[in-house]
Amino acid sequence: MGSHDDEDNLISPEDAKGPNAETVEQYLRLHDHIERLREDKTPQKPGKVTSEEARTYQAAALFRAATPGAAEPSPAFASSLRTRLEHEIGASSPARALRAARGGVSRRGLLAGGLGAAAAAAVGVAVGSTITHESAKPPGSWQTTLIGDGAGMWLAVATVGEIPLGGVKRFATDAVVGFVRHTSSGFEALSGACTHMGCLLSWNAGARTFDCPCHGGRFNENGKAAPGSPVAYSPLPLIKAKVEAGTVWVYIAKSPMEDATTTPSNNPNGYRNP
Amino acid sequence: MTLRKARITENNQMRADKPPEPERDSDRLQRLYEDNLHVIYRFIYSKVGNREEAEDLTSQVFIKAVRTIDSARGAASIQSWLFQVARTTIADHWRSFYQLRAHSLDDLLEAGWEGPAESGAPPRIEPPNDRVNRILERLPDHYRDVLICRFLQNLSIKETALRMGLSEANVKVLQFRALKKAGRLDLEGL
């Protein structure tokens, strides 16, 4: 109370005089700076500053870091940087660098990586290997089918009863990860790998979207790019699906590990291929 | 049965496909990244105060680190080596941001950085929030209040003015003086 310290805090006309005079410009410049920080955006360069001014700006950064939640990396940033680092490591070996230059990703190399996103990407790439020609094309609104007639085999992935109308069920096999959907017109299946870089999507039942953990890609339940996706990535390829004997079957690439487990498909009941 | 076969879990699949490689680039990256992302990001954020620059600089640090991971062998720990990489990255950034001379930059870098950067002794990095609390304790009431309103509670100028019974112009002056004082205290390592 009334101490010298307190007077020092009060705003008096004396502050505008003397060798250490503060100017209104300085107040406003720092204020603009703080507001930029509060928006989490890069502030304007303050220009040539004295070290005292630099320390003032530093103090602003330090205190901004104390705003609750501000100084935590966002999950999207964390996973996208991890993906970049995976590529960085991959590029250090010539063979992998070559693959990277061609736009492909080494499944084995990424599997060896063992990180979550990389592992996810790797399984996606197993899918990707069958759709390489499509991923090279620019994003479009058309939707391709993963495996054409005759090239694959039918595999049972769910019973009809376990997926209610509107429900979505994930399935994973040696060759493919995908989702089976129960729509008003029957059962459909979609590839579960993001068409951006092959990371594995997860079903977001609340928003009814397929979300990618790597770069925030989003697809609606029909597999088309959804609002909120950073880029309108190509639609998810369809996987042929059918219902037979109370079971949902999907048509996937033949696994190299088995031979003739293909199921006869002479009765494609409920099978739709839009 | 085929039906059961199709239900192979993702994990099983990973295990089946994963070759028992002796090469453990991945483990090193795991340690490098997973264990240190948060602490390095927080450190960098406390130097720039915004997400855009923090993400950019954090990416630079980890990419540099991955490219030069072999040079980490001599370091006391991966983490202290990462902090060194972060420090030089921030210094480069500041050089262009503040247009300061080198020795002034050194002053700035020392803040919150205890102990020598020599090999052997890992530097002690004080968590940003501890520094903030230490500074707040030393500030006069007005200064402390305005910084608490503006930063810890993230209030606007208007809200702060209402809370403190000041004009908005006064709040702008007060936050300037408070940060100036805070910067001085931080330098003194109080």
mmCIF file of all heavy atoms in Angstrom, chain B residues 92-115:
data_model
loop_
_atom_site.group_PDB
_atom_site.id
_atom_site.type_symbol
_atom_site.label_atom_id
_atom_site.label_comp_id
_atom_site.label_asym_id
_atom_site.label_seq_id
_atom_site.Cartn_x
_atom_site.Cartn_y
_atom_site.Cartn_z
ATOM 1 N N ASP B 92 18.709 -20.456 -33.856
ATOM 2 C CA ASP B 92 18.632 -20.066 -35.269
ATOM 3 C C ASP B 92 17.355 -19.299 -35.555
ATOM 4 O O ASP B 92 17.348 -18.322 -36.289
ATOM 5 C CB ASP B 92 18.672 -21.317 -36.166
ATOM 6 C CG ASP B 92 20.070 -21.902 -36.234
ATOM 7 O OD1 ASP B 92 21.016 -21.204 -35.829
ATOM 8 O OD2 ASP B 92 20.202 -23.057 -36.676
ATOM 9 N N HIS B 93 16.284 -19.780 -34.953
ATOM 10 C CA HIS B 93 14.987 -19.143 -35.168
ATOM 11 C C HIS B 93 14.991 -17.727 -34.609
ATOM 12 O O HIS B 93 14.551 -16.784 -35.260
ATOM 13 C CB HIS B 93 13.910 -19.985 -34.493
ATOM 14 C CG HIS B 93 12.544 -19.382 -34.546
ATOM 15 N ND1 HIS B 93 11.825 -19.290 -35.717
ATOM 16 C CD2 HIS B 93 11.774 -18.831 -33.580
ATOM 17 C CE1 HIS B 93 10.672 -18.703 -35.456
ATOM 18 N NE2 HIS B 93 10.605 -18.416 -34.173
ATOM 19 N N TRP B 94 15.501 -17.567 -33.442
ATOM 20 C CA TRP B 94 15.512 -16.246 -32.797
ATOM 21 C C TRP B 94 16.397 -15.262 -33.537
ATOM 22 O O TRP B 94 16.110 -14.069 -33.581
ATOM 23 C CB TRP B 94 16.005 -16.377 -31.362
ATOM 24 C CG TRP B 94 14.944 -16.808 -30.412
ATOM 25 C CD1 TRP B 94 13.606 -16.900 -30.682
ATOM 26 C CD2 TRP B 94 15.112 -17.213 -29.066
ATOM 27 N NE1 TRP B 94 12.936 -17.331 -29.576
ATOM 28 C CE2 TRP B 94 13.836 -17.534 -28.564
ATOM 29 C CE3 TRP B 94 16.209 -17.345 -28.239
ATOM 30 C CZ2 TRP B 94 13.640 -17.967 -27.265
ATOM 31 C CZ3 TRP B 94 16.012 -17.767 -26.944
ATOM 32 C CH2 TRP B 94 14.736 -18.083 -26.456
ATOM 33 N N ARG B 95 17.510 -15.778 -34.058
ATOM 34 C CA ARG B 95 18.418 -14.896 -34.766
ATOM 35 C C ARG B 95 17.655 -14.121 -35.832
ATOM 36 O O ARG B 95 17.831 -12.924 -36.003
ATOM 37 C CB ARG B 95 19.554 -15.695 -35.409
ATOM 38 C CG ARG B 95 20.915 -15.082 -35.190
ATOM 39 C CD ARG B 95 21.990 -15.879 -35.900
ATOM 40 N NE ARG B 95 22.054 -17.285 -35.484
ATOM 41 C CZ ARG B 95 22.561 -17.701 -34.326
ATOM 42 N NH1 ARG B 95 23.045 -16.853 -33.483
ATOM 43 N NH2 ARG B 95 22.599 -18.982 -34.020
ATOM 44 N N SER B 96 16.798 -14.805 -36.523
ATOM 45 C CA SER B 96 16.049 -14.101 -37.571
ATOM 46 C C SER B 96 14.844 -13.358 -36.992
ATOM 47 O O SER B 96 14.468 -12.308 -37.475
ATOM 48 C CB SER B 96 15.613 -15.088 -38.661
ATOM 49 O OG SER B 96 14.317 -15.566 -38.404
ATOM 50 N N PHE B 97 14.284 -13.913 -35.917
ATOM 51 C CA PHE B 97 13.070 -13.285 -35.389
ATOM 52 C C PHE B 97 13.371 -11.967 -34.703
ATOM 53 O O PHE B 97 12.713 -10.952 -34.933
ATOM 54 C CB PHE B 97 12.365 -14.235 -34.414
ATOM 55 C CG PHE B 97 10.989 -13.790 -34.025
ATOM 56 C CD1 PHE B 97 9.919 -13.977 -34.883
ATOM 57 C CD2 PHE B 97 10.756 -13.173 -32.800
ATOM 58 C CE1 PHE B 97 8.637 -13.560 -34.539
ATOM 59 C CE2 PHE B 97 9.478 -12.756 -32.450
ATOM 60 C CZ PHE B 97 8.423 -12.951 -33.321
ATOM 61 N N TYR B 98 14.384 -11.956 -33.854
ATOM 62 C CA TYR B 98 14.662 -10.754 -33.069
ATOM 63 C C TYR B 98 15.765 -9.881 -33.661
ATOM 64 O O TYR B 98 15.988 -8.779 -33.193
ATOM 65 C CB TYR B 98 15.071 -11.130 -31.640
ATOM 66 C CG TYR B 98 13.964 -11.732 -30.819
ATOM 67 C CD1 TYR B 98 14.103 -12.970 -30.217
ATOM 68 C CD2 TYR B 98 12.773 -11.039 -30.617
ATOM 69 C CE1 TYR B 98 13.099 -13.511 -29.437
ATOM 70 C CE2 TYR B 98 11.762 -11.584 -29.841
ATOM 71 C CZ TYR B 98 11.929 -12.813 -29.254
ATOM 72 O OH TYR B 98 10.943 -13.351 -28.476
ATOM 73 N N GLN B 99 16.466 -10.381 -34.632
ATOM 74 C CA GLN B 99 17.616 -9.654 -35.194
ATOM 75 C C GLN B 99 18.548 -9.186 -34.089
ATOM 76 O O GLN B 99 18.930 -8.017 -34.019
ATOM 77 C CB GLN B 99 17.142 -8.464 -36.041
ATOM 78 C CG GLN B 99 16.224 -8.894 -37.169
ATOM 79 C CD GLN B 99 15.675 -7.701 -37.936
ATOM 80 O OE1 GLN B 99 16.278 -6.642 -37.984
ATOM 81 N NE2 GLN B 99 14.525 -7.869 -38.583
ATOM 82 N N LEU B 100 18.893 -10.108 -33.241
ATOM 83 C CA LEU B 100 19.748 -9.776 -32.091
ATOM 84 C C LEU B 100 21.173 -10.237 -32.339
ATOM 85 O O LEU B 100 21.416 -11.140 -33.131
ATOM 86 C CB LEU B 100 19.235 -10.496 -30.844
ATOM 87 C CG LEU B 100 18.171 -9.807 -30.012
ATOM 88 C CD1 LEU B 100 17.774 -10.730 -28.878
ATOM 89 C CD2 LEU B 100 18.686 -8.491 -29.456
ATOM 90 N N ARG B 101 22.081 -9.633 -31.612
ATOM 91 C CA ARG B 101 23.461 -10.101 -31.682
ATOM 92 C C ARG B 101 23.600 -11.382 -30.869
ATOM 93 O O ARG B 101 22.809 -11.666 -29.980
ATOM 94 C CB ARG B 101 24.395 -9.036 -31.149
ATOM 95 C CG ARG B 101 24.588 -7.884 -32.111
ATOM 96 C CD ARG B 101 25.768 -7.045 -31.660
ATOM 97 N NE ARG B 101 25.664 -6.666 -30.254
ATOM 98 C CZ ARG B 101 24.952 -5.604 -29.833
ATOM 99 N NH1 ARG B 101 24.309 -4.851 -30.706
ATOM 100 N NH2 ARG B 101 24.907 -5.308 -28.562
ATOM 101 N N ALA B 102 24.673 -12.107 -31.183
ATOM 102 C CA ALA B 102 24.823 -13.457 -30.626
ATOM 103 C C ALA B 102 24.835 -13.471 -29.096
ATOM 104 O O ALA B 102 24.190 -14.316 -28.483
ATOM 105 C CB ALA B 102 26.086 -14.104 -31.170
ATOM 106 N N HIS B 103 25.540 -12.534 -28.466
ATOM 107 C CA HIS B 103 25.654 -12.651 -27.015
ATOM 108 C C HIS B 103 24.314 -12.349 -26.328
ATOM 109 O O HIS B 103 24.025 -12.863 -25.260
ATOM 110 C CB HIS B 103 26.783 -11.762 -26.474
ATOM 111 C CG HIS B 103 26.462 -10.294 -26.488
ATOM 112 N ND1 HIS B 103 26.794 -9.489 -27.552
ATOM 113 C CD2 HIS B 103 25.831 -9.497 -25.587
ATOM 114 C CE1 HIS B 103 26.390 -8.255 -27.280
ATOM 115 N NE2 HIS B 103 25.795 -8.228 -26.109
ATOM 116 N N SER B 104 23.489 -11.511 -26.972
ATOM 117 C CA SER B 104 22.167 -11.275 -26.405
ATOM 118 C C SER B 104 21.321 -12.540 -26.491
ATOM 119 O O SER B 104 20.533 -12.838 -25.605
ATOM 120 C CB SER B 104 21.460 -10.154 -27.161
ATOM 121 O OG SER B 104 22.329 -9.074 -27.364
ATOM 122 N N LEU B 105 21.521 -13.270 -27.589
ATOM 123 C CA LEU B 105 20.804 -14.530 -27.727
ATOM 124 C C LEU B 105 21.201 -15.494 -26.623
ATOM 125 O O LEU B 105 20.357 -16.209 -26.076
ATOM 126 C CB LEU B 105 21.135 -15.171 -29.077
ATOM 127 C CG LEU B 105 20.364 -14.671 -30.281
ATOM 128 C CD1 LEU B 105 20.910 -15.329 -31.533
ATOM 129 C CD2 LEU B 105 18.882 -15.005 -30.123
ATOM 130 N N ASP B 106 22.482 -15.515 -26.304
ATOM 131 C CA ASP B 106 22.936 -16.434 -25.264
ATOM 132 C C ASP B 106 22.206 -16.175 -23.956
ATOM 133 O O ASP B 106 21.788 -17.101 -23.272
ATOM 134 C CB ASP B 106 24.448 -16.276 -25.049
ATOM 135 C CG ASP B 106 25.221 -16.911 -26.202
ATOM 136 O OD1 ASP B 106 24.594 -17.673 -26.960
ATOM 137 O OD2 ASP B 106 26.413 -16.635 -26.344
ATOM 138 N N ASP B 107 22.046 -14.888 -23.638
ATOM 139 C CA ASP B 107 21.301 -14.549 -22.431
ATOM 140 C C ASP B 107 19.926 -15.187 -22.444
ATOM 141 O O ASP B 107 19.476 -15.791 -21.482
ATOM 142 C CB ASP B 107 21.115 -13.028 -22.326
ATOM 143 C CG ASP B 107 22.385 -12.359 -21.824
ATOM 144 O OD1 ASP B 107 23.333 -13.102 -21.475
ATOM 145 O OD2 ASP B 107 22.419 -11.125 -21.789
ATOM 146 N N LEU B 108 19.258 -15.009 -23.572
ATOM 147 C CA LEU B 108 17.902 -15.540 -23.682
ATOM 148 C C LEU B 108 17.894 -17.054 -23.516
ATOM 149 O O LEU B 108 17.025 -17.621 -22.869
ATOM 150 C CB LEU B 108 17.316 -15.209 -25.058
ATOM 151 C CG LEU B 108 16.753 -13.810 -25.276
ATOM 152 C CD1 LEU B 108 16.190 -13.711 -26.678
ATOM 153 C CD2 LEU B 108 15.655 -13.513 -24.261
ATOM 154 N N LEU B 109 18.876 -17.690 -24.127
ATOM 155 C CA LEU B 109 18.896 -19.148 -24.089
ATOM 156 C C LEU B 109 19.188 -19.675 -22.693
ATOM 157 O O LEU B 109 18.765 -20.773 -22.348
ATOM 158 C CB LEU B 109 19.947 -19.673 -25.064
ATOM 159 C CG LEU B 109 19.521 -19.659 -26.527
ATOM 160 C CD1 LEU B 109 20.707 -19.925 -27.433
ATOM 161 C CD2 LEU B 109 18.445 -20.699 -26.772
ATOM 162 N N GLU B 110 19.907 -18.913 -21.913
ATOM 163 C CA GLU B 110 20.244 -19.398 -20.580
ATOM 164 C C GLU B 110 19.018 -19.460 -19.681
ATOM 165 O O GLU B 110 18.987 -20.212 -18.715
ATOM 166 C CB GLU B 110 21.296 -18.498 -19.925
ATOM 167 C CG GLU B 110 22.677 -18.593 -20.559
ATOM 168 C CD GLU B 110 23.101 -20.032 -20.807
ATOM 169 O OE1 GLU B 110 22.885 -20.883 -19.933
ATOM 170 O OE2 GLU B 110 23.639 -20.304 -21.888
ATOM 171 N N ALA B 111 18.031 -18.631 -19.971
ATOM 172 C CA ALA B 111 16.843 -18.612 -19.120
ATOM 173 C C ALA B 111 16.201 -19.995 -19.106
ATOM 174 O O ALA B 111 15.887 -20.554 -20.148
ATOM 175 C CB ALA B 111 15.851 -17.572 -19.618
ATOM 176 N N GLY B 112 16.030 -20.527 -17.925
ATOM 177 C CA GLY B 112 15.388 -21.832 -17.810
ATOM 178 C C GLY B 112 16.313 -22.984 -18.137
ATOM 179 O O GLY B 112 15.902 -24.125 -18.190
ATOM 180 N N TRP B 113 17.566 -22.665 -18.351
ATOM 181 C CA TRP B 113 18.511 -23.701 -18.737
ATOM 182 C C TRP B 113 19.579 -23.750 -17.683
ATOM 183 O O TRP B 113 20.471 -22.915 -17.636
ATOM 184 C CB TRP B 113 19.118 -23.350 -20.096
ATOM 185 C CG TRP B 113 19.987 -24.426 -20.640
ATOM 186 C CD1 TRP B 113 21.267 -24.701 -20.264
ATOM 187 C CD2 TRP B 113 19.648 -25.376 -21.626
ATOM 188 N NE1 TRP B 113 21.748 -25.770 -20.969
ATOM 189 C CE2 TRP B 113 20.774 -26.204 -21.810
ATOM 190 C CE3 TRP B 113 18.507 -25.620 -22.390
ATOM 191 C CZ2 TRP B 113 20.782 -27.248 -22.720
ATOM 192 C CZ3 TRP B 113 18.527 -26.657 -23.294
ATOM 193 C CH2 TRP B 113 19.646 -27.462 -23.459
ATOM 194 N N GLU B 114 19.499 -24.711 -16.819
ATOM 195 C CA GLU B 114 20.448 -24.764 -15.716
ATOM 196 C C GLU B 114 21.533 -25.783 -15.993
ATOM 197 O O GLU B 114 21.283 -26.818 -16.576
ATOM 198 C CB GLU B 114 19.720 -25.147 -14.424
ATOM 199 C CG GLU B 114 18.754 -24.079 -13.967
ATOM 200 C CD GLU B 114 17.908 -24.557 -12.813
ATOM 201 O OE1 GLU B 114 18.402 -25.357 -12.014
ATOM 202 O OE2 GLU B 114 16.747 -24.131 -12.734
ATOM 203 N N GLY B 115 22.681 -25.481 -15.553
ATOM 204 C CA GLY B 115 23.783 -26.418 -15.682
ATOM 205 C C GLY B 115 24.475 -26.259 -17.022
ATOM 206 O O GLY B 115 23.906 -25.753 -17.970
#
